[in-house]
Amino acid sequence: DIQMTQSPSFLSASVGDRVTINCKASQNINKYLDWYQQKHGEAPKLLIYNTNNLQTGIPSRFSGSGSGTDYTLTISSLQPEDVATYFCLQHSSRWTFGGGTKLELK
Amino acid sequence: EVQLVESGGGLVQPGRSLKLSCAASGFTFSNYYMAWVRQAPKKGLEWVATISTSGSRTYYPDSVKGRFTISRDNAKSSLYLQMNSLKSEDTATYYCARLERYNWMDAWGQGASVTVSS
């Protein structure tokens, strides 16, 4: 089974900051990596699929990159509405979520 | 508009069974793989099951294999999760999700809460 290690678990940043969240797979997942945003009390929402493809309707300040075992979600300029928990998901072999990153405003 | 609406959650005793349903609308249900994902209180997301378009192929992680069964009724645009031999660690909110191109989860329901406790 593929394991996903997400870091950091908690992140505090200011409005306008550039924020990066990382996921490391236990083996090569060939860019089959997605990112989800979950606001408090809500269902997860797809942000990015297959490493760097922005889902329809998602602001362009969100972007993804990576290859092999290492992947990154970047928020170029943090906005108040971005406060949420973020999860990565690999779908190279079955499906495995990362542990999540809780993002708060400083 | 794509909609997924879960139902059937509740309080159940350890060792008992429960069946969740997910009603889909706003898309051609039979064209999509579907999945169940759960989230224990204040915890992360865990994939629980996936089913192919026809229902002929199903996939489970070891944590629920042999206890949970995913199924679907394409005529009713409905997805199901039969949960048997429930344990306290199965307590979670259960989400149904649509899989785009068999892979990423591009639409989610609002979730159904399941509590396993005596």
Side-chain angles (χ1 to χ4, degrees):
Chain A
D1 293 1
I2 297 176
Q3 308 303 316
M4 300 299 298
T5 303
Q6 190 171 337
S7 62
S9 300
F10 178 83
L11 184 54
S12 181
S14 300
V15 173
D17 281 355
R18 183 180 181 88
V19 170
T20 60
I21 297 169
N22 301 294
C23 264
K24 187 174 185 68
S26 58
Q27 64 190 69
N28 183 4
I29 56 171
N30 296 298
K31 297 193 172 186
Y32 293 124
L33 188 284
D34 317 314
W35 292 97
Y36 297 82
Q37 176 193 66
Q38 186 179 32
K39 295 184 178 181
H40 183 69
E42 297 183 5
K45 180 170 74 172
L46 176 66
L47 299 176
I48 289 170
Y49 61 93
N50 286 351
T51 297
N52 56 11
N53 295 277
L54 199 65
Q55 175 68 346
T56 302
I58 301 302
S60 59
R61 63 180 179 274
F62 291 92
S63 64
S65 62
S67 64
T69 61
D70 296 295
Y71 298 83
T72 299
L73 171 70
T74 300
I75 307 173
S76 60
S77 178
L78 186 66
Q79 300 302 302
E81 60 266 31
D82 299 336
V83 168
T85 300
Y86 293 82
F87 295 93
C88 62
L89 171 66
Q90 72 80 20
H91 53 84
S92 174
S93 175
R94 305 282 177 106
W95 295 264
T96 313
F97 287 92
T101 296
K102 187 173 184 179
L103 175 58
E104 294 190 351
L105 285 179
K106 193 179 291 183
Chain B
E1 180 194 3
V2 172
Q3 280 203 329
L4 298 169
V5 180
E6 300 93 338
S7 60
L11 174 64
V12 60
Q13 293 180 327
R16 303 297 291 264
S17 300
L18 195 67
K19 186 173 185 177
L20 302 180
S21 300
C22 172
S25 60
F27 65 101
T28 303
F29 180 73
S30 58
N31 288 350
Y32 290 84
Y33 275 43
M34 298 294 294
W36 288 96
V37 173
R38 69 183 179 184
Q39 186 170 36
K42 300 191 185 303
K43 298 293 186 183
L45 299 169
E46 180 187 16
W47 165 66
V48 170
T50 295
I51 189 166
S52 63
T53 51
S54 66
S56 61
R57 291 186 296 274
T58 57
Y59 310 86
Y60 306 93
D62 289 343
S63 58
V64 306
K65 201 169 190 177
R67 298 190 300 123
F68 289 13
T69 302
I70 187 173
S71 62
R72 64 192 297 161
D73 184 335
N74 287 340
K76 295 183 177 179
S77 295
S78 293
L79 178 72
Y80 306 101
L81 184 67
Q82 176 69 45
M83 303 183 290
N84 298 332
S85 304
L86 283 161
K87 308 174 183 180
S88 58
E89 51 263 44
D90 296 318
T91 294
T93 296
Y94 285 74
Y95 297 99
C96 70
R98 185 180 79 169
L99 269 64
E100 177 64 48
R101 303 194 195 168
Y102 322 124
N103 286 303
W104 58 91
M105 300 176 188
D106 72 331
W108 297 65
Q110 86 290 347
S113 178
V114 173
T115 302
V116 184
S117 174
S118 54

